[in-house]
Amino acid sequence: MPKLINKSLLPPKKYFMQGNIACAEGALAAGCRYYAGYPITPSSETMEHLSNRLPEVNGVFIQMEDEIGSICSMIGASWAGAKAMTATSGPGFSLMLEGLGYAVMTETPCVIINVQRTGPATGQATRPGQGDIMQARWGAHGDYRIIGISPWSVQEMYDLTIESFNLAEVYRVPVILLADEVVGHLKESFIIKPEIEIFNRDSSMSDKPFGTVQDDGVPPMPIFGQGAKLLVTGSTHNEFGIRKVADPVVQDMLVKRLCAKIDNHKDKICKTESYLVDDADYLFISFGISARSSYAVIKQLRNEGIKAGLLRLKTIWPFADEIIKSAAQNCKVVFVPEMNRGQLVLEVQRVLCNKQVISIPKTQGEAIYPSEIYNESKKYIK
Amino acid sequence: MSKIKITGFGGQGVILAGEILANAAVMDGKEGSAIGSYGSAARGGLTSSEIVISNEFIDAPFSEKPDVLIALSQDGYDKFVYTVNQNGIIIVDSGMVSIKPLPKQYELQAANIATSEIKSPVVANMVMLGALSAITEVISKTALINAIKETVNEKFVELNLRGIEFGFEKGKQIK
């Protein structure tokens, strides 16, 4: 797929900005021109900012009646050719799951920002959590794949929102940016570069908009109003979009392709960052704000002469099995700090079934602090 | 690296003060981060702001053991006063807080100064930042002034700057 270079919308320089607002600016820079949403703490700043900024770039902003309306509106806008987004938090994300499944089934590129707070249900609206990562992966019914991304800084609220749009466009899939309240409300400096890499969907007219002969498994996506005759349906459909609600072969082929188009490109999609991993006896695997606390801990342990390293998952879904296996190859113990009762750790234990993998969970509606990770990990460091 | 915690109740400008402080550090060419923690009510309730100022990338942007605690309310003082780093200091509004006898504690009546001398109770937060600048090396007064000009609504810049000036003078006296 051809890569384009766009100029940034804001003048390139160093900014001091809140994560949620950097996310909104990232969306605009990526070409987002449609936002439908319903305000919810702690994500509302993204929506508020876009309500001012989208009209300035000839975009459309709409406050919907609820989150179900929001995601459906976004899906419609995407079929009309717009890059579209919504932002929410746990309770709103729960409502969006039906629409998420529909976006997967109709292969609609779109971006959902989930600034995670505590749950279940209303929980604590202003407090951080990371308890939605399994929900993001498995929340809708049926078999499918989505892409889940986790930013750890204001810089990444900007950069990874752009990345989310690129991935959505390339793979015709909903991408969920799994931020958390801390990163969303954090204010710090970040850099806007003069140029941004952009990928746009292949919108060529195709007689097979839901099935493909393309190697990458991603069919071209015609835009409404440009002459193509097609049916967009959440029911099982063949490559032409025709409903096939009792055909076992079509059902099987469709589900397999929806999964394969992500699975087969895992190497390209999965992004991680390693810190002092090569000689590490003790490996921390984390994401989002928990990874920043983990980063402080490995520096502290290194100062004590303990060989500790951090593998940070920028992409949570698809899961980076191979990268994790290779990073953990020579380590003695693996720690997984996260702000939930232990969700990511289940995946890590699956991948590293022969290793000692220790969960370091926190569910107090506060960030997980370096001292907490340090004290827990010290119990296992000989 | 300096870690600062500002604490008070909702409505005292704790979060704004934290953001101005971190922004001032960034304008000084350093890295600065600010995280606010607050309840779901618009006013009242324990509120705190964690600020980290560093010459390099800030790992964890938290002030678990602050080098400086700025306390504007009793609740905040009581909750965090014993978390202060061994060599850290406390700057406390002694008009709002009944204080404990502790070393390295600087007292000023920020809310009273704001009300009686500046005629606006809402700038007690700026009085505290001014005092911080006079008492410590954490941030320069110039950087604070620049950050206020960039952050605060134009109508209120002058008022906030007066808060900084009064706090700075008071800080020099009690240093």
Side-chain angles (χ1 to χ4, degrees):
Chain A
M1 185 160 291
K3 178 168 77 186
L4 304 168
I5 303 292
N6 272 16
K7 285 199 170 139
S8 77
L9 287 180
L10 290 181
K13 62 170 185 150
K14 189 172 177 180
Y15 287 83
F16 181 78
M17 208 180 262
Q18 192 197 64
N20 281 341
I21 296 178
C23 165
E25 285 296 335
L28 294 169
C32 172
R33 292 298 178 268
Y34 190 90
Y35 181 96
Y38 190 82
I40 183 170
T41 303
S43 77
S44 300
E45 293 85 358
T46 301
M47 179 168 181
E48 184 186 5
H49 191 71
L50 285 172
S51 72
N52 289 316
R53 289 280 282 137
L54 270 169
E56 291 175 8
V57 295
N58 293 323
V60 175
F61 172 92
I62 183 163
Q63 176 168 333
M64 296 299 291
E65 71 276 24
D66 61 23
E67 286 85 352
I68 301 173
S70 302
I71 192 165
C72 293
S73 175
M74 171 180 73
I75 291 167
S78 184
W79 276 96
K83 289 190 185 178
M85 179 173 106
T86 189
T88 189
S89 187
F93 190 59
S94 292
L95 287 175
M96 286 183 182
L97 290 174
E98 184 184 353
L100 178 71
Y102 185 81
V104 169
M105 190 60 146
T106 54
E107 300 180 71
T108 308
C110 55
V111 174
I112 302 160
I113 312 293
N114 179 358
V115 185
Q116 297 170 86
R117 65 192 221 188
T118 59
T122 311
Q124 295 174 319
T126 61
R127 304 293 177 176
Q130 292 179 323
D132 305 350
I133 59 168
M134 283 295 181
Q135 183 195 26
R137 170 66 188 84
W138 300 104
H141 53 275
D143 272 307
Y144 64 98
R145 301 285 187 269
I146 48 89
I147 296 175
I149 308 272
S150 168
W152 83 336
S153 62
V154 173
Q155 182 73 54
E156 288 193 349
M157 284 297 276
Y158 179 82
D159 291 342
L160 296 186
T161 300
I162 297 172
E163 170 92 354
S164 297
F165 274 97
N166 284 342
L167 290 167
E169 294 284 313
V170 169
Y171 297 106
R172 274 186 71 179
V173 70
V175 177
I176 302 153
L177 188 82
L178 289 156
D180 55 67
E181 187 274 340
V182 179
V183 171
H185 281 162
L186 177 64
K187 281 199 173 183
E188 64 182 353
S189 64
F190 81 110
I191 309 266
I192 290 190
K193 291 186 189 146
E195 291 179 336
I196 301 147
E197 282 185 4
I198 297 290
F199 291 87
N200 291 332
R201 71 190 74 166
D202 175 1
S203 57
S204 56
M205 208 81 82
S206 161
D207 61 344
K208 290 181 180 171
F210 296 100
T212 188
V213 288
Q214 276 79 3
D215 295 338
D216 62 6
V218 186
M221 179 177 170
I223 293 170
F224 277 171
Q226 295 193 351
K229 290 177 184 151
L230 73 154
L231 177 68
V232 179
T233 174
S235 295
T236 297
H237 46 272
N238 67 11
E239 61 267 45
F240 307 104
I242 308 295
R243 293 174 75 239
K244 294 284 177 187
V245 292
D247 186 326
V249 176
V250 172
Q251 168 68 17
D252 189 46
M253 271 174 56
L254 178 58
V255 169
K256 279 179 178 163
R257 189 176 56 76
L258 292 178
C259 295
K261 72 176 178 178
I262 304 301
D263 293 344
N264 293 348
H265 299 100
K266 237 172 128 169
D267 293 350
K268 274 193 227 157
I269 298 168
C270 283
K271 302 260 169 68
T272 60
E273 259 179 34
S274 302
Y275 309 87
L276 308 169
V277 161
D278 290 347
D279 65 339
D281 291 328
Y282 300 95
L283 178 67
F284 291 76
I285 300 178
S286 194
F287 62 100
I289 195 65
S290 301
R292 264 174 98 156
S293 287
S294 305
Y295 185 47
V297 171
I298 64 156
K299 288 201 288 187
Q300 191 180 348
L301 290 170
R302 286 272 169 179
N303 283 339
E304 296 172 13
I306 295 161
K307 289 180 180 167
L310 167 66
L311 177 68
R312 175 168 76 90
L313 306 185
K314 291 160 89 169
T315 313
I316 300 184
W317 309 116
F319 202 67
D321 292 29
E322 299 309 317
I323 299 172
I324 289 171
K325 269 183 207 158
S326 140
Q329 212 166 15
N330 298 317
C331 75
K332 294 176 189 161
V333 186
V334 176
F335 301 101
V336 185
E338 52 188 324
M339 280 141 60
N340 53 47
R341 285 320 301 160
Q343 297 191 12
L344 192 84
V345 71
L346 300 173
E347 283 292 290
V348 176
Q349 282 167 341
R350 174 182 63 77
V351 172
L352 303 177
C353 46
N354 298 322
K355 291 265 178 202
Q356 189 177 14
V357 179
I358 306 295
S359 175
I360 305 182
K362 182 172 179 181
T363 40
Q364 294 175 358
E366 283 178 345
I368 188 164
Y369 295 119
S371 66
E372 294 165 332
I373 298 173
Y374 176 87
N375 291 339
E376 194 56 30
S377 64
K378 276 294 241 182
K379 294 178 189 167
Y380 300 89
I381 293 173
K382 301 285 180 321
Chain B
M1 187 186 288
S2 311
K3 300 192 170 199
I4 301 112
K5 181 168 264 169
I6 308 176
T7 179
F9 52 77
Q12 284 184 308
V14 163
I15 294 190
L16 179 67
E19 289 171 4
I20 285 173
L21 179 53
N23 195 4
V26 171
M27 292 172 90
D28 250 357
K30 296 177 185 168
E31 293 298 326
S33 67
I35 294 183
S37 166
Y38 53 91
S40 39
R43 285 181 186 75
L46 181 67
T47 300
S48 58
S49 183
E50 299 177 71
I51 303 100
V52 181
I53 296 171
S54 171
N55 289 321
E56 54 190 37
F57 175 74
I58 294 164
D59 42 47
F62 309 117
S63 313
E64 272 191 278
K65 290 182 182 165
D67 302 305
V68 182
L69 173 70
I70 298 177
L72 289 158
S73 79
Q74 190 72 52
D75 280 359
Y77 181 83
D78 291 344
K79 181 163 181 193
F80 297 116
V81 73
Y82 292 116
T83 67
V84 176
N85 191 351
Q86 212 169 11
N87 302 313
I89 65 159
I90 301 155
I91 305 175
V92 56
D93 186 336
S94 49
M96 299 288 287
V97 177
S98 67
I99 59 170
K100 297 173 168 69
L102 292 167
K104 292 183 187 164
Q105 186 162 251
Y106 299 87
E107 301 163 34
L108 70 161
Q109 303 211 345
N112 284 346
I113 292 171
T115 309
S116 59
E117 301 189 42
I118 311 173
K119 311 290 179 208
S120 173
V122 297
V123 292
N125 57 350
M126 295 299 127
V127 174
M128 282 304 214
L129 286 187
L132 171 75
S133 172
I135 295 166
T136 71
E137 305 286 316
V138 165
I139 197 76
S140 69
K141 193 171 82 170
T142 318
L144 285 175
I145 291 169
N146 290 337
I148 286 172
K149 286 177 180 166
E150 193 183 273
T151 313
V152 174
N153 185 321
E154 214 176 315
K155 281 189 283 188
F156 303 113
V157 166
E158 203 51 44
L159 183 66
N160 281 282
L161 293 183
R162 286 183 66 205
I164 295 288
E165 291 295 346
F166 271 92
F168 189 79
E169 289 310 314
K170 189 71 190 167
K172 277 200 301 192
Q173 289 167 24
I174 61 174
K175 189 177 172 181

